[in-house]
Amino acid sequence: MRTWSLNRKGCPSALHLLQNTVREEGGVPPLVSLLSSLDAKVQRASAGALRTLAFKNEDNKNQIVECGALPVLIRMLRSADTGLHYEAVGVVGNLVHSSTHIKRQVGGFKRSEGASFAKGQAVREARGADERERKLGTPPYLDGEGGSG
């Protein structure tokens, strides 16, 4: 199912065309694989690309989840690397926005992973992380935990 975000003239937006092209040309699976790279810069870059691909695009959200990104992203949320944490929050936030089925999956992964934050925290973090991280630097639930997940 193709979904389109239309601009003021009723045409698909350039971002949506790009998002769909990346998915249709097979770009999502390699980006999800790169989330597990040993290089933190590669992890941040792939998460940033996935965040953009997931923005208001249900087909991309579903493919990202189907490719197995959620367990890796949930671990990234606990990262001591603030850049990696920031990107993971962005991807998870875009994935769960208006996607109840993905919200339930995120909640299930957090419970099964034994994460230290309450159900729904990733969604709340995604909404306010940009401003809080800009002001505070380190997210409050990482104080004293410091795992690189």
Side-chain angles (χ1 to χ4, degrees):
M1 175 181 91
R2 186 178 290 254
T3 57
W4 297 102
S5 174
L6 303 179
N7 65 19
R8 290 181 221 191
K9 295 179 182 178
C11 298
S13 70
L15 174 60
H16 210 82
L17 289 171
L18 176 64
Q19 289 171 318
N20 287 337
T21 300
V22 170
R23 182 188 68 255
E24 291 165 0
E25 295 297 322
V28 173
L31 287 169
V32 171
S33 294
L34 289 171
L35 290 174
S36 299
S37 171
L38 297 177
D39 186 336
K41 289 180 183 179
V42 172
Q43 291 175 333
R44 285 191 296 272
S46 63
L50 290 169
R51 178 174 46 128
T52 300
L53 292 174
F55 182 71
K56 295 183 179 181
N57 190 306
E58 292 302 313
D59 293 333
N60 284 357
K61 290 178 187 185
N62 290 329
Q63 187 172 29
I64 290 166
V65 171
E66 289 166 8
C67 287
L70 284 179
V72 180
L73 291 167
I74 297 302
R75 284 191 301 275
M76 291 168 95
L77 289 172
R78 296 191 311 247
S79 176
D81 180 327
T82 56
L84 188 55
H85 170 83
Y86 172 86
E87 294 297 346
V89 167
V91 180
V92 172
N94 283 349
L95 288 172
V96 301
H97 181 74
S98 302
S99 301
T100 306
H101 67 287
I102 296 175
K103 285 180 190 176
R104 282 193 291 268
Q105 290 181 50
V106 169
F109 276 112
K110 288 187 295 184
R111 284 189 297 278
S112 68
E113 290 277 319
S116 63
F117 39 86
K119 182 177 181 181
Q121 179 114 11
V123 177
R124 290 189 298 274
E125 289 291 332
R127 290 183 187 138
D130 290 355
E131 184 64 22
R132 186 179 55 256
E133 286 183 11
R134 189 177 61 73
K135 289 181 180 178
L136 301 176
T138 303
Y141 62 86
L142 286 181
D143 290 343
E145 283 193 12
S148 61

